[in-house]
Amino acid sequence: MGLRDRLNASAAEIKARSQRLVELNIELLTTELKRKGQQYGSAIGMFVGAGVLYIWLPLWLSLLIVTAALLLIVLILALVGRSRMRQAKTLKPERAIAEAKATADTVKTKMQATVNDLTPRRNGKGRPGMPAPETGSTPAPLAAPVSPPPTAPPSGPSAAPPAGPAASPPVTPPDAPPATPPDEEAR
């Protein structure tokens, strides 16, 4: 199986898994939003129940009920409704957001690992399963140094030696063998 086939297979697998993760995150979001809606509905129902019991109760029936018991019921309903309202106060679906962040972090980590596996290593050992590079060869430089065209030296007593790239020694790549003087080459 060639590199291109492996890349295509990896891309298809990543696409399928990404689609499944998005579906699961959407399902989690809808479930959490439904639960928040039910909490708000029950809190509102508690307040309506407290109002009905306290305001619209007929006079003849209210005389039969002990005022303390009625106030106790109203107080309990109001406190439970208030606590439910506080529980449902956060509008953000926290678990869905945390799951989406964790998914994004995992995808970034896996993508970096994949990129690291596909880039050739420069430590002389090569990638696993690939032959090691020859030890005696040196990489060719990317481009030869370009020197500016020669200029006429200034004349006169205050003439200074030319400065710049033309006056500096030639640059050799760090992997090149050391240069030998011309007199040693003749021997």
Side-chain angles (χ1 to χ4, degrees), residues 113-135:
T114 302
V115 167
N116 289 341
D117 284 346
L118 294 178
T119 55
R121 294 188 179 106
R122 298 184 186 261
N123 61 2
K125 296 180 182 173
R127 289 195 0 235
M130 300 294 288
E134 298 176 7
T135 57

Side-chain angles (χ1 to χ4, degrees), residues 86-135:
R86 285 184 181 170
Q87 287 176 353
K89 191 174 188 176
T90 59
L91 295 177
K92 288 191 278 183
E94 293 136 359
R95 289 185 359 196
I97 290 172
E99 184 64 30
K101 285 180 182 178
T103 300
D105 290 341
T106 302
V107 168
K108 285 179 188 176
T109 303
K110 294 295 182 180
M111 288 297 293
Q112 187 62 40
T114 302
V115 167
N116 289 341
D117 284 346
L118 294 178
T119 55
R121 294 188 179 106
R122 298 184 186 261
N123 61 2
K125 296 180 182 173
R127 289 195 0 235
M130 300 294 288
E134 298 176 7
T135 57

Side-chain angles (χ1 to χ4, degrees), residues 147-162:
S147 60
T151 59
S155 60
S158 65

